[in-house]
Amino acid sequence: TSEQASGSSAESRPVTLMLNWTPNAHHVGIYTAEQQGWYDEAGIDLTIVEPADAGVETAVASGAADIGMAQAESLLPARAAGIPVVSVATVLPVNDSSLFSLADDGISRPRDLEGTRYGGFGGALETEIISALMRCDDADPATVEFVTLGNVDYLAGMDADQFDTAWVFSGWDALRAQQVANADVNEIRFADWADCVPNWYTPLFLAAESTLAEDADLVSDFLAVTSRGYEQAVDDPADAAAALTEAVPELDPALVDPAVAYYAPLFVGQSGSWGEQDEQTWTQFAQFLTSAQVVADPVDATTAFTNEYLPE
């Protein structure tokens, strides 16, 4: 209620938010709400930290962070390993992942990946996604060479001919290649091949089961403000981009401005409200992870998420 919001600033609660990655356009709603002073108004003294080496799920479960950001492909295995965290909101209703490559290589659909080199982290999910895409397009995944890279500048690696494709978010690395480096690139967007690979939530906000049980107000108050921040970014992307670059001056406005403009219409799903997650999306992705052997035993996806703490 507004009474709570105005009356609670005297006793503000410290809240630590651990991001899933370094700050980027996915986080614009948080920085917009922070710049507007909305967390303060809700009695939240917000500290934003970058991800811990041990993983965000572990940090949130241990209380090192109150709220975290991660992705379904790490949250489900964490739950399978007994780490008691739950997804409480999704940033994007539709996964913005794509495989991108230099246009000269002519890789515009999964069958074009035959005989190419994929640069990535060497994870089982990467192998399964590429295999599923290629099988779906009548191609042989065994012809792809997997090159383990770690965290590198993908465009530079492609220019140096170290690998041909990499898995990125369309609205960040692929956009950077196009907008900032003026590179001509192709993309195979996962969402365009939804019959072959399932949608999943990335990035998402998560909290510990203990926090949901003992301090539900903290989570719902945080999400009410954060939701407002993302809705503001939808309404005024230019202003939201300015808030992000002001808060994180090392980011290049030449990337942030088009990236926020790209994501603004994508933050809110068909339901018309930000953050909502769908049970079928979770269940299908959990089945995919099991078949990919990313998780050894089937994991109950229905308990991995909740919409209960989102604003009405």
Side-chain angles (χ1 to χ4, degrees):
T1 67
S2 56
E3 275 175 2
Q4 272 180 321
S6 59
S8 59
S9 52
E11 42 178 341
S12 75
R13 297 162 292 178
V15 175
T16 300
L17 168 66
M18 183 173 282
L19 301 181
N20 56 319
W21 201 249
T22 53
N24 60 64
H26 288 166
H27 307 127
V28 67
I30 303 157
Y31 289 101
T32 298
E34 188 184 40
Q35 194 203 39
Q36 298 279 355
W38 295 337
Y39 290 111
D40 294 338
E41 284 173 22
I44 293 171
D45 178 12
L46 189 67
T47 301
I48 300 171
V49 296
E50 292 194 12
D53 290 341
V56 176
E57 287 87 355
T58 307
V60 170
S62 70
D66 300 293
I67 308 274
M69 294 184 74
Q71 44 288 319
E73 72 263 32
S74 62
L75 184 127
L76 287 170
R79 284 187 61 84
I83 299 170
V85 289
V86 178
S87 175
V88 293
T90 182
V91 172
L92 293 164
V94 178
N95 184 352
D96 186 47
S97 290
S98 79
L99 298 177
F100 95 128
S101 56
L102 298 175
D104 289 350
D105 290 341
I107 303 169
S108 59
R109 55 182 300 161
R111 71 170 63 137
D112 300 333
L113 293 166
E114 284 196 334
T116 64
R117 295 157 303 164
Y118 166 80
F121 288 91
L125 179 61
E126 294 173 291
T127 312
E128 185 65 21
I129 289 281
I130 287 169
S131 300
L133 285 169
M134 291 180 72
R135 285 194 300 266
C136 209
D137 201 19
D138 299 323
D140 181 5
T143 63
V144 174
E145 183 187 340
F146 287 82
V147 182
T148 304
L149 298 175
N151 190 13
V152 298
D153 179 339
Y154 295 124
L155 192 59
M158 288 177 191
D159 279 336
D161 200 31
Q162 294 166 346
F163 52 94
D164 305 304
T165 64
W167 173 352
V168 298
F169 285 114
S170 286
W172 194 249
D173 281 305
L175 200 67
R176 185 204 318 260
Q178 293 161 313
Q179 297 276 349
V180 182
N182 293 317
D184 197 3
V185 300
N186 278 343
E187 290 186 78
I188 300 171
R189 292 171 183 262
F190 293 7
D192 291 343
W193 295 85
D195 294 343
C196 314
V197 291
N199 182 34
W200 73 91
Y201 297 123
T202 171
L204 50 79
F205 287 92
L206 60 107
E209 288 178 4
S210 57
T211 306
L212 297 178
E214 295 155 24
D215 202 354
D217 283 353
L218 182 146
V219 180
S220 48
D221 289 354
F222 171 83
L223 288 178
V225 175
T226 305
S227 166
R228 195 176 163 195
Y230 280 98
E231 283 161 5
Q232 174 69 19
V234 172
D235 291 342
D236 192 344
D239 193 52
L244 177 56
T245 42
E246 189 180 322
V248 191
E250 62 268 28
L251 291 177
D252 182 355
L255 172 58
V256 171
D257 293 353
V260 174
Y262 170 96
Y263 280 119
L266 306 180
F267 285 134
V268 174
Q270 289 170 328
S271 68
S273 59
W274 176 84
E276 278 190 29
Q277 305 169 78
D278 168 64
E279 184 173 310
Q280 189 181 4
T281 299
W282 273 103
T283 305
Q284 287 176 342
F285 184 59
Q287 289 166 346
F288 189 84
L289 288 187
T290 307
S291 64
Q293 298 178 318
V294 174
V295 289
D297 300 308
V299 50
D300 182 4
T302 61
T303 57
F305 81 99
T306 176
N307 291 318
E308 200 181 320
Y309 304 92
L310 289 167
E312 298 274 314

